[in-house]
Amino acid sequence: MYTIKETVEALKSGKVTSVQLVEKSIETFESDKKSSLPLNAFLEIYDDAVSKAQECDAQISEARSNGSVDELYEKKPLLGIPFANKDNISVQGKRLTCSSKILQGYVAPYSATVINRLVSAGAIPLGRCNQDEFAMGSSTEYSIYGPTRNPMNREYVSGGSSGGSTAAVAANQALFGLGTETGGSVRLPASYCGVYGLKPTYGVLSRWGVVAYGSSLDQVGIIGHTPQDIATPLSVMCGADMYDDTSADLPDGKSLADLKGYSNEEIAKMKIAIPKQFLEAKGMDSDVNKVFEETRRWFEEKGAKVETVDIPVLDAAIASYYVIALSEAASNLSRFEGIRYGARVDNGKGYDELYKDTRSEGFGPEVKRRIIIGNYVLSEQFSGTTYKKGMSVRARIQRDVAEVFKTYDVIICPVCPTAAFKLGEKYDDPLAMYLSDLFTTFVNLARIPSISVPAGYTSEAKGKMPVGIQFAGKMFDEKKILRLAQNWEDEHPGCGCPVKE
């Protein structure tokens, strides 16, 4: 069983129990730790996962005995389903470290809204997963716990920053997972690991209880084996939250629980846009381009009109993104100073030295790099003008992308110019690492939804690694892109289950 739908039917009938699902994940986790090349997706399995599964089984057994199991699942559509959680999303009473030394030993005092809503729907938080430190990275190599490996080939990266959750799903250690996105950190690992990954419209999923990186860009995302495996959790998590003023309701959000693709006639009426800037991008791998052309032909064979559109401002997307993200990161991470929470290094030399020593020892090299750049951008020398310019470019991207959606239904493009690279290949080359986000950041800047669809593989000579293509829609068009992804899944069944048992 690889999908939520299959597993729910098995739970209803009694063919499998929630405890068995959790215990299988624990067994795999413990076995993997002894491997010569450990996946390192989960950092820990929560100590109450089995007891929560027992509670779910008791509810299911009682409902089965009185003939109300279907009604039970209408109220709790994820009852007994364990999921992977990223190490920057709070679960009350559980460790929350953002894979950073500075938060070692920190325990979350409350649960994030997305966790509370999943638990209310019967889902079980299985454990916390590895990530790039404070979600800053594209490979999950910038973690104090070591890198997460790609389940397809453990010599390769899993992508980042949500590489742990994604690898756990791809390796069948969890049925779905939560990640976070600032500039592509769900779609990128989904592409690298061969699963589906959704970045929703900004605000559709509450950020309350999620450790901030770049507040105007951050978004919780979902990883799954099928579009339905994303749609069901999204349907229970979405919506406005009184604790998050930037949250918003998702029209037809509740209807996502029963996802169906479009008819061929409906697809034939669609217009698909391909940004010219991405077709001309330097560094595009030939195998990635081949998979993209195959995806393009898939739309054309269904009668959709596919056209290249010119959006010149996209050339400035990655520069605008890093100016905004790093400025906001420097501001958000100023709270980690050794006084209020987290690690403290106090040599008795006063507050200035306490701050300096705590942050010097607590943060890793990539986080320090981004804090320094962010503070430089925000320094008195620039008087904030560079950040304002970045925001101005962002506003232009939002306007121009919105204008495209007045004519076109969906934008398609590769998730990344390349497939997964080998561990260590780009670790000491920050610029090359940043360019992994070349095709993803415009989505975050425009605040639109996009899903990474597992569309093919590179050649044997290049490791036969997964390649993802993204379908992006206008704001609050999650249902449209998920339905299109379902059409893809219907014709490529199992494409989001790269590792078979």
Side-chain angles (χ1 to χ4, degrees), residues 331-342:
S331 177
N332 279 322
L333 267 63
S334 65
R335 72 192 68 179
F336 300 102
E337 80 296 64
I339 299 295
R340 285 169 285 187
Y341 41 70

Side-chain angles (χ1 to χ4, degrees), residues 20 50 58 260 337 354 406 425 456:
Q20 288 174 332
V50 172
K260 290 182 175 61
E337 80 296 64
L354 185 151
K406 289 181 180 179
E425 186 176 323

Side-chain angles (χ1 to χ4, degrees), residues 205-217:
L205 296 180
S206 170
R207 291 183 297 113
W208 193 73
V210 180
V211 179
Y213 164 15
S215 302
S216 72
L217 297 161

Side-chain angles (χ1 to χ4, degrees), residues 406-458:
K406 289 181 180 179
T407 305
Y408 297 90
D409 294 279
V410 176
I411 293 174
I412 64 170
C413 62
V415 173
C416 184
T418 67
F421 47 89
K422 287 190 174 182
L423 285 158
E425 186 176 323
K426 299 182 181 181
Y427 183 85
D428 295 319
D429 189 349
L431 184 57
M433 193 78 80
Y434 295 168
L435 290 175
S436 298
D437 300 333
L438 189 63
F439 298 156
T440 55
T441 55
F442 86 96
V443 167
N444 304 77
L445 292 166
R447 297 184 169 180
I448 60 176
S450 179
I451 185 169
S452 174
V453 174
Y457 293 86
T458 60

Side-chain angles (χ1 to χ4, degrees), residues 440-498:
T440 55
T441 55
F442 86 96
V443 167
N444 304 77
L445 292 166
R447 297 184 169 180
I448 60 176
S450 179
I451 185 169
S452 174
V453 174
Y457 293 86
T458 60
S459 63
E460 292 281 0
K462 295 178 182 177
K464 201 168 179 59
M465 299 304 291
V467 175
I469 303 299
Q470 56 180 328
F471 302 170
K474 67 181 179 181
M475 291 182 70
F476 304 109
D477 245 2
E478 277 79 356
K479 189 170 184 177
K480 176 177 284 186
I481 62 173
L482 282 165
R483 290 185 69 186
L484 273 175
Q486 185 61 49
N487 284 106
W488 180 270
E489 172 66 25
D490 289 342
E491 295 189 20
H492 304 83
C495 65
C497 301

